[in-house]
Amino acid sequence: MGQTVPLQVIVNGESHESEVQARLLLVHYLRDELKLTGTHVGCDTSNCGACTCLVDGESVKSCTVLAVQCDGAQITTIEGMAGDDGALHPLQEGFWAHHGLQCGYCTPGMIMAAADLLARRTADGPISEEEVRKGLEGNLCRCTGYQNIVKAVQAAAEAQRGVTA
Amino acid sequence: MSITEAPAGKSVGHSLRRKEDPRLITGRASYIDDIALPGMLYMAVVRSTEAHANVVSIDTSSALGRPGIKAVYTGADMSDLLAPLPMAWAPPGVEIKTPERWPLARGHVAHVGEAVAMVIGDDRYGVVDAAEHVAVEYEPLAVVVDVEQALEDEILVHESLGTNKAHEWTMGGGGDIEQALADSEVVVERRIVNHRTAGAAIEPRGVIAEYRAGGLTVWSSTQVPHLVRLFFAVQMGISEDKVRVIAPEVGGGFGGKLQIMAEETLCAWASKQLGRPVKWIETRSENMAVSHHGRDQVDYVRMGATRDGRITAFHANIIQDLGAYFGLLTPMIPELGAFVMTGCYKIPVVRTDITGVLTNKFFTDAIRGAGRPEMTHMLEVMIDQLAEELEMDAIELRRKNFIPAADFPYETPYGITYDSGNYEAALDRALEIVDLDAFRAEQASLRSQGILRGIGFSTYTEICGLAPSRAVGPSGFGLGIGLYESAIVRVHPTGSVTVYTGASPHGQGHETGFAQIVADRFGVDPAVVEVVHGDTAQGPMGLGTYGSRSLSIGGVACAHAAEKIAQKCREIVAHNLEANPEDIELRNGKFSLKGDPDQGMTLGEVAGCAYIDATNMPEGMELGLEQTLIYDPSNFVFPFGTHVCVVDVDAETGKVRVVRWVAVDDCGPAVNPMLIDGQVHGGVTHGIGQALYEQVVYDERGQLITGTFLDYALPTAEEIPSFETDRTETKSPSNSLGVKGIGEAGTIAATPAVVNAVIDALRHEGISYIDMPLTPMRVWQALEEARGRGDGPRATEQGVSLPPQGEGSAGSGPTRPEGGAA
């Protein structure tokens, strides 16, 4: 089974210390060890982005990262996006209001990738459709045709800028 | 944007937010891989690396000796199965040669990825390691991947069948096709390849099975839980009352999960042997290899017409690549398309000849549209080909042959009765949005700047709402079971409602749409109507979700059940108000007295009579408010519309970009317009994917070249435009809601619109037709040939060498379009 390695991470604000197989993928650590099953596996080759989560604030495809590479990191998954009071994150609200999901399988990854996209953005003003489409090209959706995902992300960006759509 | 609430009793027609979404956007949903049972074991499958071979030996000893491995089984261990995996189409009077398909190979493999052994152990990674240690010795046999070569029967996929030709099926109507074509003033012909594609739901398939104390529970990422239960009873000899199948949250289907999976049987059988739950989660590589593919036809098509543009005859000779075995519906798929062979048009003489052919590839089966995209593609591409031949405007040609709105219901030459239609109205609306004059001016001006822009139309109708039982069942079209749908509506003592549906959604939004339908019949908020699906232990026998059937059958079943309860409610209220039931109407959320709306009762108050204080019930009336109902409609439904695609073609690289899409669809009255738009967006994107990017490719040895999402190109957000959608509304007389399906319409409409648009952009270059997928390589090569520079070496995007012109097949490697620069 291979050697085990100590791992210490903070996930959604909670500290975890584990002994894990060196080859354990981050996505399986999150899902199988921590039971955070909102992060999904879709393709195993980092094409679909269903497994996207944030590591130290940057989006990563967790099916292609070893858990041990994240030792000492702060990780955010879809389960950590809503507020402590259950209030939805503007992206979650946007996806709901704009029908940005159908089967929902790609949705956590989409939301995490979009969170990174919006966080990295330095430009002022509303985010353009083109910017969102380019920014999310690493995440695949087979249901929605992307249009309502784009709208959802634009609405979330506006909400974060304090503008009501 | 959606809304959160609608007026009481009037939620239908409003874009209500989905009830499904809160769990999905917070990561709290339970898909198959999110479920873990105590003591659960994992399964990995050892799959054939050969496309065609005899299995000489399988050595499992090394794998068995690895840590945590509980068992390794081969086909020889599973001799107690009572039946092979099912193919559920037996059309009366048609002979179909069906190769036996067992969950594990029995001495012979016929495609890459065929399961030869399963490895069970207690660790997800450990079983994959151990599977690598199962040593399988193969004796390779000759391989045939090209469908037309397979038809020659020189290499047989299954020696025991004596031929690769599995079935022939012919339908003709209106007269002799050869005579009609001979009598036509103009005949256009094409060889059209509709290539092999993948369903590619983002969630791969998965199964957990638990056999305990004589009972079997199976969780499966399926579109058809009730059919899976029925089959387990047949295959494993466990009576249905002791089998429970649960479809948990299902991450997309697109037909790919309308299947009885080999892996369902493997997990169930292994669980029975080992006394512990067994889980299998498909990898993407497995999904590309052994989740069924779609399309894969070579079509020889001829269309006859008069010089002034009346279509006189249409013939399709369809050679369908079935693959090496049959899934649930494999040979039936092209026949489903044939039912709408004449599309929106009055065509007096038609004929469809279908030949099903076995090859050393994985089997094809229903993928979004299932036969209808292929047929619509042929028809709508040929309309444009005919228009070019006649030097007539393709829109005028369409109009000239449309079935007029006054002619519905309309019986086609195949005896199919179209329920309703108004094709002119949808086309007119699309043209209003597009502004064709402005487009043509823009096209000319762009062309002078070197930008090749084109516009393509597709005016489609399709057959969906798969039912009625008598028409499609064993004594009709020959499906193994009639297609109907079930509902239980249960009003609880406090007036909230639970609905159980036999439909089995995987993204469509039934929990919201069906709740709206039921809520309106009781004057309550859809928030208090919970829709339960996908568990055979809860709801009645149901047929599942596919073929754009859920709303027009399952939704109508819910409506009828609720209406029966509402009638009982009116009787109870009338009794309490000392009035006639006919004088009780739903108003402002109450069953109230006509003319005196202050007098009335809410659903909760009625439920109080029915469940809590029986003295308020009419004498002799049964207590409770609950209705079970099976709905079997009188006819299919036939949605229709016009899709318009605008593309830019980069002449230097051959790259095609969709820059505009207008979709006007008619699926009858909208229950939730937002859900309709979502289906259209996704459906069209699926079609654009096939037309431009996606293709399942096998090399000449039967090795799968497109085994991951690295090689199989799904469209991303960057390639897809924003869609301009609109609707016309023509009620269906087939059901009381007047609704038609919309799940597949976009996919059915899309591919010819793309091809017609690309040809419109390139026609002045002397290019009349290119086969899909219209990849940069193909378009560039067609341009090079048209410009007299086509002598260079040919290769495909995957580096596979191409057969000579016009000899390629649908799925055995990219095809040279016939007369690429015709």
Side-chain angles (χ1 to χ4, degrees):
Chain A
M1 300 301 258
Q3 64 178 114
T4 59
V5 181
L7 173 68
Q8 190 263 316
V9 287
I10 297 171
V11 181
N12 300 332
E14 215 173 286
S15 185
H16 298 272
E17 286 183 38
S18 315
E19 283 282 328
V20 299
Q21 280 189 56
R23 65 173 177 172
L24 183 70
L25 295 171
L26 175 59
V27 66
H28 288 143
Y29 174 71
L30 294 171
R31 292 177 51 81
D32 296 345
E33 305 281 326
L34 304 188
K35 313 298 178 198
L36 293 169
T37 56
T39 304
H40 301 145
V41 178
C43 74
D44 314 307
T45 52
S46 70
N47 290 88
C48 81
C51 63
T52 306
C53 60
L54 302 182
V55 176
D56 290 332
E58 288 194 349
S59 70
V60 302
K61 291 178 173 174
S62 63
C63 77
T64 322
V65 173
L66 297 171
V68 295
Q69 288 175 281
C70 301
D71 190 35
Q74 296 228 23
I75 296 170
T76 309
T77 69
I78 187 67
E79 290 91 342
M81 291 298 275
D84 290 338
D85 57 351
L88 294 178
H89 184 277
L91 278 163
Q92 293 171 316
E93 183 65 32
F95 272 72
W96 193 11
H98 291 273
H99 191 29
L101 64 149
Q102 289 179 28
C103 82
Y105 197 75
C106 77
T107 310
M110 281 286 179
I111 287 177
M112 302 315 288
D116 181 52
L117 172 68
L118 296 184
R120 273 190 288 112
R121 194 163 179 265
T122 50
D124 288 332
I127 190 166
S128 71
E129 177 184 339
E130 195 190 353
E131 211 178 331
V132 177
R133 287 185 182 276
K134 262 196 172 46
L136 294 181
E137 56 126 29
N139 289 66
L140 296 173
C141 171
R142 190 58 149 172
C143 295
T144 64
Y146 301 107
Q147 182 161 336
N148 290 343
I149 291 176
V150 174
K151 279 194 204 166
V153 174
Q154 286 181 307
E158 291 302 279
Q160 284 182 333
R161 290 170 68 229
V163 183
T164 33
Chain B
M1 189 169 157
S2 62
I3 59 170
T4 49
E5 46 187 284
K10 297 200 173 5
S11 69
V12 165
H14 292 283
S15 291
L16 277 191
R17 281 186 184 207
R18 295 205 318 173
K19 291 161 65 80
E20 292 85 341
D21 289 0
R23 63 179 187 263
L24 299 169
I25 55 180
T26 53
R28 305 293 176 187
S30 279
Y31 298 88
I32 183 73
D33 198 17
D34 304 339
I35 299 167
L37 301 180
M40 190 172 74
L41 299 169
Y42 292 88
M43 174 181 79
V45 181
V46 179
R47 298 188 181 277
S48 173
T49 52
E50 295 289 328
H52 196 192
N54 288 320
V55 179
V56 178
S57 66
I58 304 173
D59 182 355
T60 61
S61 55
S62 167
L64 271 169
R66 293 188 61 83
I69 299 304
K70 304 294 179 205
V72 181
Y73 299 112
T74 70
D77 297 313
M78 298 182 76
S79 56
D80 58 334
L81 291 181
L82 300 177
L85 292 157
M87 193 281 280
W89 186 50
V94 179
E95 187 198 357
I96 302 182
K97 294 189 170 64
T98 301
E100 278 191 5
R101 177 169 69 104
W102 295 96
L104 291 178
R106 297 185 168 187
H108 175 247
V109 290
H111 64 82
V112 160
E114 186 164 349
V116 292
M118 60 172 146
V119 178
I120 317 278
D122 56 16
D123 178 69
R124 188 193 280 272
Y125 288 17
V127 291
V128 177
D129 289 341
E132 297 280 321
H133 288 259
V134 173
V136 185
E137 189 188 340
Y138 297 100
E139 177 200 359
L141 300 169
V143 171
V144 61
V145 292
D146 181 290
V147 70
E148 292 183 290
Q149 190 193 336
L151 210 41
E152 291 163 12
D153 276 346
E154 282 167 10
I155 298 165
L156 294 180
V157 176
H158 298 282
E159 195 74 43
S160 57
L161 295 180
T163 177
N164 294 324
K165 191 191 287 184
H167 82 301
E168 289 180 285
W169 190 88
T170 289
M171 198 172 202
D176 181 67
I177 192 73
E178 293 305 330
Q179 191 61 48
L181 285 165
D183 292 344
S184 299
E185 292 169 10
V186 179
V187 175
V188 287
E189 295 186 40
R190 275 285 164 206
R191 177 180 186 270
I192 293 175
V193 175
N194 204 302
H195 61 282
R196 185 175 277 242
T197 65
I202 304 298
E203 183 204 35
R205 299 177 302 149
V207 183
I208 303 169
E210 181 176 36
Y211 187 89
R212 189 162 58 177
L216 174 66
T217 305
V218 177
W219 291 257
S220 180
S221 184
T222 182
Q223 299 172 224
V224 287
H226 295 273
L227 293 183
V228 173
R229 179 181 63 165
L230 181 64
F231 179 68
F232 270 121
V234 172
Q235 190 185 39
M236 290 182 65
I238 312 168
S239 61
E240 278 177 273
D241 59 299
K242 294 187 178 58
V243 183
R244 178 182 184 185
V245 177
I246 300 166
E249 205 79 61
V250 174
F254 316 105
K257 295 170 183 172
L258 165 54
Q259 196 52 263
I260 304 292
M261 308 175 194
E263 294 84 0
E264 285 164 339
T265 300
L266 294 182
C267 288
W269 185 89
S271 176
K272 189 175 175 187
Q273 311 307 309
L274 299 168
R276 287 170 66 176
V278 175
K279 180 183 204 173
W280 170 75
I281 298 296
E282 189 177 51
T283 65
R284 180 56 60 183
S285 310
E286 285 180 299
N287 181 266
M288 296 308 290
V290 296
S291 276
H292 68 247
H293 299 148
R295 321 290 187 249
D296 209 352
Q297 301 180 347
V298 177
D299 304 315
Y300 291 89
V301 192
R302 295 179 292 167
M303 182 176 276
T306 59
R307 266 274 149 226
D308 66 352
R310 289 248 170 249
I311 303 170
T312 48
F314 186 35
H315 179 223
N317 182 15
I318 296 169
I319 302 169
Q320 173 72 48
D321 191 334
L322 304 166
Y325 297 96
F326 298 160
L328 195 58
L329 300 168
T330 297
M332 190 216 77
I333 300 304
E335 283 79 6
L336 187 55
F339 289 147
V340 282
M341 171 140 182
T342 51
C344 292
Y345 312 108
K346 278 200 161 173
I347 304 179
V349 186
V350 275
R351 182 177 162 106
T352 321
D353 291 298
I354 294 166
T355 307
V357 186
L358 294 156
T359 60
N360 290 116
K361 292 180 272 186
F362 195 60
F363 61 79
T364 51
D365 205 321
I367 294 294
R368 201 168 195 169
R372 290 154 290 161
E374 297 92 308
M375 185 53 81
T376 304
H377 189 78
M378 279 179 242
L379 177 60
E380 288 300 306
V381 164
M382 289 305 282
I383 293 276
D384 269 39
Q385 302 285 303
L386 177 63
E388 183 181 337
E389 177 67 28
L390 296 172
E391 294 178 357
M392 186 182 229
D393 179 71
I395 295 169
E396 191 194 332
L397 179 62
R398 284 180 168 84
R399 279 194 201 281
K400 195 157 192 168
N401 290 280
F402 272 163
I403 301 158
D407 286 13
F408 289 91
Y410 172 81
E411 192 179 323
T412 74
Y414 284 168
I416 305 279
T417 302
Y418 288 180
D419 56 347
S420 63
N422 188 346
Y423 307 143
E424 289 272 356
L427 175 58
D428 287 342
R429 181 68 195 118
L431 287 171
E432 250 174 66
I433 299 170
V434 166
D435 191 351
L436 201 52
D437 292 339
F439 171 82
R440 288 296 178 202
E442 186 186 32
Q443 181 183 39
S445 121
L446 286 171
R447 195 176 291 167
S448 66
Q449 302 163 42
I451 297 168
L452 304 180
R453 179 163 287 190
I455 192 166
F457 286 77
S458 169
T459 53
Y460 76 95
T461 186
E462 60 120 341
I463 181 169
C464 69
L466 297 185
S469 292
R470 283 178 183 79
V472 300
S475 302
F477 180 51
L479 291 178
I481 185 168
L483 299 180
Y484 42 85
E485 203 45 89
S486 63
I488 296 174
V489 174
R490 177 177 296 157
V491 179
H492 301 295
T494 56
S496 66
V497 184
T498 302
V499 177
Y500 301 85
T501 174
S504 197
H506 33 281
Q508 293 85 348
H510 295 16
E511 291 172 35
T512 307
F514 287 12
Q516 288 176 253
I517 291 169
V518 170
D520 279 11
R521 275 145 186 85
F522 297 134
V524 300
D525 186 335
V528 300
V529 181
E530 190 74 9
V531 177
V532 177
H533 52 80
D535 182 349
T536 63
Q538 294 193 62
M541 173 69 190
L543 276 298
T545 290
Y546 46 87
S548 306
R549 68 189 303 278
S550 289
L551 175 59
S552 68
I553 313 175
V556 174
C558 294
H560 287 190
E563 282 156 12
K564 287 199 168 186
I565 298 171
Q567 177 56 29
K568 185 170 178 180
C569 290
R570 278 189 284 274
E571 288 169 26
I572 296 168
V573 173
H575 173 76
N576 281 276
L577 300 182
E578 295 179 355
N580 287 321
E582 304 83 67
D583 293 330
I584 305 299
E585 63 179 4
L586 257 184
R587 180 184 281 258
N588 299 330
K590 273 187 173 181
F591 290 93
S592 5
L593 193 59
K594 277 182 193 164
D596 187 4
D598 289 344
Q599 285 211 65
M601 296 168 77
T602 63
L603 181 66
E605 288 163 345
V606 181
C609 305
Y611 289 107
I612 292 169
D613 189 350
T615 60
N616 295 324
M617 290 289 276
E619 194 64 36
M621 183 178 276
E622 265 182 32
L623 299 188
L625 293 176
E626 175 159 336
Q627 183 68 49
T628 301
L629 193 136
I630 304 278
Y631 174 66
D632 189 23
S634 57
N635 192 5
F636 303 91
V637 291
F638 298 83
F640 61 90
T642 294
H643 283 228
V644 190
C645 168
V646 177
V647 296
D648 281 349
V649 181
D650 183 334
E652 296 304 311
T653 63
K655 189 174 179 187
V656 177
R657 185 171 182 87
V658 177
V659 296
R660 192 175 181 202
W661 197 285
V662 173
V664 178
D665 293 283
D666 193 322
C667 55
V671 172
N672 184 322
M674 175 187 84
L675 298 181
I676 294 176
D677 271 347
Q679 289 299 313
V680 172
H681 296 168
V684 172
T685 300
H686 204 131
I688 293 174
Q690 177 177 11
L692 296 182
Y693 311 114
E694 300 176 32
Q695 183 175 26
V696 172
V697 181
Y698 286 89
D699 71 11
E700 66 273 18
R701 297 174 306 282
Q703 292 295 326
L704 182 66
I705 305 295
T706 49
T708 70
F709 279 172
L710 290 162
D711 325 284
Y712 188 85
L714 291 177
T716 74
E718 249 217 297
E719 282 104 16
I720 298 299
S722 272
F723 302 99
E724 299 163 58
T725 57
D726 202 352
R727 289 182 292 111
T728 56
E729 200 175 294
T730 309
K731 280 190 174 170
S732 170
S734 298
N735 61 70
S736 62
L737 301 182
V739 295
K740 303 181 177 188
I742 194 64
E744 297 161 297
T747 310
I748 290 166
T751 61
V754 178
V755 170
N756 289 341
V758 171
I759 298 305
D760 185 60
L762 301 180
R763 188 171 285 118
H764 67 287
E765 300 272 357
I767 295 170
S768 287
Y769 178 71
I770 309 173
D771 266 329
M772 299 186 292
L774 301 172
T775 56
M777 177 72 84
R778 285 188 180 197
V779 173
W780 180 80
Q781 281 179 338
L783 272 163
E784 286 295 288
E785 260 176 44
R787 292 172 175 182
R789 298 197 295 254
D791 302 330
R794 292 204 181 104
T796 70
E797 296 76 4
Q798 287 83 12
V800 179
S801 62
L802 284 164
Q805 250 189 29
E807 290 179 20
S809 82
S812 61
T815 308
R816 254 333 270 169
E818 183 200 9

Coordinates of all heavy atoms in Angstrom, one line a residue, chain A residues 26-61:
Chain A
L26 N -5.6 14.5 -3.5 CA -6.3 15.5 -2.6 C -7.9 15.3 -2.7 O -8.5 15.3 -1.6 CB -6.0 16.9 -3.1 CG -6.8 18.0 -2.3 CD1 -6.5 18.0 -0.8 CD2 -6.4 19.4 -2.9
V27 N -8.4 15.0 -3.8 CA -9.8 14.8 -3.9 C -10.3 13.6 -3.1 O -11.4 13.7 -2.5 CB -10.3 14.7 -5.4 CG1 -9.8 13.4 -6.1 CG2 -11.8 14.8 -5.5
H28 N -9.5 12.6 -3.1 CA -9.9 11.4 -2.3 C -9.7 11.7 -0.8 O -10.5 11.1 0.0 CB -9.2 10.2 -2.8 CG -9.7 9.7 -4.1 ND1 -8.8 9.1 -5.1 CD2 -10.9 9.7 -4.7 CE1 -9.5 8.8 -6.1 NE2 -10.8 9.1 -5.9
Y29 N -8.7 12.5 -0.5 CA -8.6 12.8 0.9 C -9.8 13.6 1.4 O -10.4 13.3 2.5 CB -7.3 13.7 1.1 CG -7.1 14.2 2.5 CD1 -6.8 13.4 3.6 CD2 -7.3 15.6 2.8 CE1 -6.7 13.9 4.9 CE2 -7.2 16.1 4.0 CZ -6.9 15.2 5.1 OH -6.7 15.7 6.4
L30 N -10.2 14.6 0.6 CA -11.4 15.4 1.0 C -12.6 14.5 1.1 O -13.4 14.6 2.0 CB -11.6 16.5 0.0 CG -10.5 17.6 -0.1 CD1 -10.7 18.5 -1.3 CD2 -10.4 18.4 1.2
R31 N -12.8 13.7 0.1 CA -14.1 12.9 0.0 C -14.1 11.7 1.0 O -15.1 11.6 1.7 CB -14.3 12.4 -1.4 CG -14.5 13.5 -2.5 CD -14.6 12.9 -3.9 NE -15.6 11.8 -3.9 CZ -16.9 11.9 -3.9 NH1 -17.4 13.1 -4.0 NH2 -17.7 10.9 -3.9
D32 N -13.0 11.0 1.0 CA -13.1 9.7 1.7 C -12.6 9.9 3.2 O -13.2 9.2 4.1 CB -12.2 8.6 1.0 CG -12.7 8.3 -0.4 OD1 -13.9 8.6 -0.7 OD2 -12.0 7.7 -1.2
E33 N -11.6 10.7 3.4 CA -11.1 10.9 4.8 C -12.0 11.9 5.5 O -12.4 11.7 6.7 CB -9.7 11.3 4.8 CG -8.7 10.5 4.0 CD -8.3 9.2 4.8 OE1 -8.2 9.3 6.0 OE2 -8.1 8.2 4.1
L34 N -12.2 13.0 4.9 CA -12.9 14.1 5.6 C -14.5 14.1 5.3 O -15.2 14.9 5.9 CB -12.4 15.5 5.2 CG -10.9 15.7 5.4 CD1 -10.5 17.2 5.2 CD2 -10.5 15.3 6.9
K35 N -14.9 13.2 4.4 CA -16.3 13.1 4.1 C -16.9 14.3 3.5 O -18.1 14.6 3.7 CB -17.1 12.6 5.3 CG -16.5 11.4 6.1 CD -16.4 10.2 5.3 CE -15.8 9.1 6.1 NZ -15.2 8.0 5.2
L36 N -16.1 15.1 2.9 CA -16.6 16.3 2.2 C -16.8 15.9 0.7 O -16.0 16.1 -0.2 CB -15.6 17.5 2.3 CG -15.3 18.0 3.7 CD1 -14.1 18.9 3.7 CD2 -16.6 18.7 4.2
T37 N -18.0 15.4 0.5 CA -18.3 14.8 -0.8 C -18.8 15.8 -1.9 O -19.2 15.4 -3.0 CB -19.3 13.6 -0.7 OG1 -20.5 14.1 0.0 CG2 -18.7 12.5 0.2
G38 N -18.9 17.0 -1.5 CA -19.3 18.0 -2.5 C -18.3 18.2 -3.6 O -18.7 18.7 -4.7
T39 N -17.1 17.9 -3.4 CA -16.1 17.9 -4.5 C -16.1 16.6 -5.3 O -15.9 15.6 -4.7 CB -14.7 18.2 -3.9 OG1 -14.7 19.3 -3.1 CG2 -13.6 18.3 -5.0
H40 N -16.3 16.8 -6.6 CA -16.6 15.6 -7.4 C -15.4 15.2 -8.3 O -14.6 16.0 -8.6 CB -17.8 15.8 -8.3 CG -19.1 16.1 -7.4 ND1 -20.0 16.9 -7.9 CD2 -19.5 15.6 -6.2 CE1 -21.0 17.0 -6.9 NE2 -20.6 16.2 -5.9
V41 N -15.4 13.9 -8.7 CA -14.5 13.5 -9.7 C -15.2 13.2 -11.1 O -16.2 12.5 -11.1 CB -13.8 12.1 -9.3 CG1 -12.8 11.7 -10.4 CG2 -13.0 12.3 -8.0
G42 N -14.7 13.9 -12.1 CA -15.4 13.7 -13.4 C -14.6 13.1 -14.5 O -15.1 12.4 -15.4
C43 N -13.3 13.3 -14.5 CA -12.5 12.9 -15.7 C -11.2 12.3 -15.4 O -10.6 11.6 -16.2 CB -12.3 14.0 -16.6 SG -11.1 15.3 -16.1
D44 N -10.6 12.5 -14.2 CA -9.3 11.9 -13.8 C -8.1 12.6 -14.5 O -7.0 12.2 -14.3 CB -9.2 10.4 -14.0 CG -10.4 9.7 -13.5 OD1 -10.8 9.9 -12.3 OD2 -11.0 8.9 -14.2
T45 N -8.4 13.5 -15.5 CA -7.2 14.0 -16.3 C -7.2 15.5 -16.2 O -6.6 16.2 -17.1 CB -7.4 13.6 -17.7 OG1 -8.7 13.9 -18.2 CG2 -7.1 12.1 -17.9
S46 N -7.8 16.1 -15.2 CA -7.9 17.6 -15.0 C -8.4 18.3 -16.2 O -8.0 19.5 -16.4 CB -6.5 18.1 -14.6 OG -5.6 18.1 -15.6
N47 N -9.3 17.7 -17.0 CA -10.0 18.4 -18.0 C -11.3 19.0 -17.6 O -11.7 20.1 -18.1 CB -10.3 17.5 -19.2 CG -9.1 17.1 -19.9 OD1 -8.5 16.1 -19.6 ND2 -8.7 17.8 -20.9
C48 N -12.1 18.3 -16.7 CA -13.5 18.7 -16.5 C -13.6 19.7 -15.4 O -14.6 20.5 -15.3 CB -14.4 17.5 -16.3 SG -14.3 16.8 -14.7
G49 N -12.7 19.7 -14.4 CA -12.8 20.7 -13.3 C -13.9 20.4 -12.3 O -14.1 21.3 -11.4
A50 N -14.5 19.3 -12.3 CA -15.6 19.0 -11.3 C -15.0 18.9 -9.9 O -15.7 19.1 -8.9 CB -16.3 17.7 -11.6
C51 N -13.7 18.7 -9.8 CA -13.0 18.5 -8.6 C -12.3 19.8 -8.1 O -11.5 19.7 -7.1 CB -11.9 17.4 -8.7 SG -10.7 17.9 -9.9
T52 N -12.6 20.9 -8.7 CA -11.9 22.2 -8.3 C -12.2 22.6 -6.9 O -13.4 22.6 -6.5 CB -12.4 23.3 -9.3 OG1 -12.1 22.9 -10.6 CG2 -11.6 24.6 -9.0
C53 N -11.2 22.9 -6.1 CA -11.3 23.6 -4.8 C -10.2 24.6 -4.7 O -9.4 24.8 -5.6 CB -11.3 22.5 -3.7 SG -9.8 21.6 -3.6
L54 N -10.2 25.3 -3.6 CA -9.2 26.4 -3.5 C -8.2 25.9 -2.5 O -8.5 25.4 -1.4 CB -9.9 27.7 -2.9 CG -11.0 28.3 -3.8 CD1 -11.5 29.6 -3.1 CD2 -10.5 28.6 -5.2
V55 N -6.9 26.0 -2.9 CA -5.8 25.8 -2.0 C -5.0 27.1 -1.8 O -4.5 27.6 -2.8 CB -4.9 24.6 -2.5 CG1 -3.7 24.4 -1.6 CG2 -5.7 23.3 -2.7
D56 N -5.0 27.5 -0.6 CA -4.4 28.8 -0.3 C -4.9 29.9 -1.2 O -4.2 30.7 -1.8 CB -2.9 28.8 -0.3 CG -2.3 28.0 0.8 OD1 -2.9 27.9 1.9 OD2 -1.2 27.3 0.7
G57 N -6.2 29.8 -1.5 CA -6.9 30.9 -2.2 C -6.9 30.7 -3.7 O -7.6 31.4 -4.4
E58 N -6.1 29.7 -4.2 CA -6.1 29.5 -5.7 C -6.8 28.3 -6.1 O -6.7 27.2 -5.4 CB -4.6 29.4 -6.1 CG -3.9 30.8 -6.1 CD -2.6 30.7 -6.8 OE1 -2.1 29.6 -7.2 OE2 -2.0 31.8 -7.0
S59 N -7.5 28.3 -7.2 CA -8.2 27.1 -7.6 C -7.3 26.0 -8.1 O -6.3 26.3 -8.9 CB -9.2 27.5 -8.7 OG -8.6 27.8 -9.9
V60 N -7.5 24.8 -7.7 CA -6.7 23.7 -8.2 C -7.7 22.6 -8.5 O -8.8 22.5 -8.0 CB -5.7 23.1 -7.1 CG1 -4.7 24.2 -6.7 CG2 -6.4 22.5 -5.9
K61 N -7.3 21.7 -9.4 CA -8.1 20.5 -9.8 C -7.6 19.4 -8.9 O -6.5 18.9 -9.1 CB -7.9 20.2 -11.3 CG -8.7 21.3 -12.1 CD -8.6 21.1 -13.6 CE -9.4 22.2 -14.3 NZ -9.3 22.2 -15.7

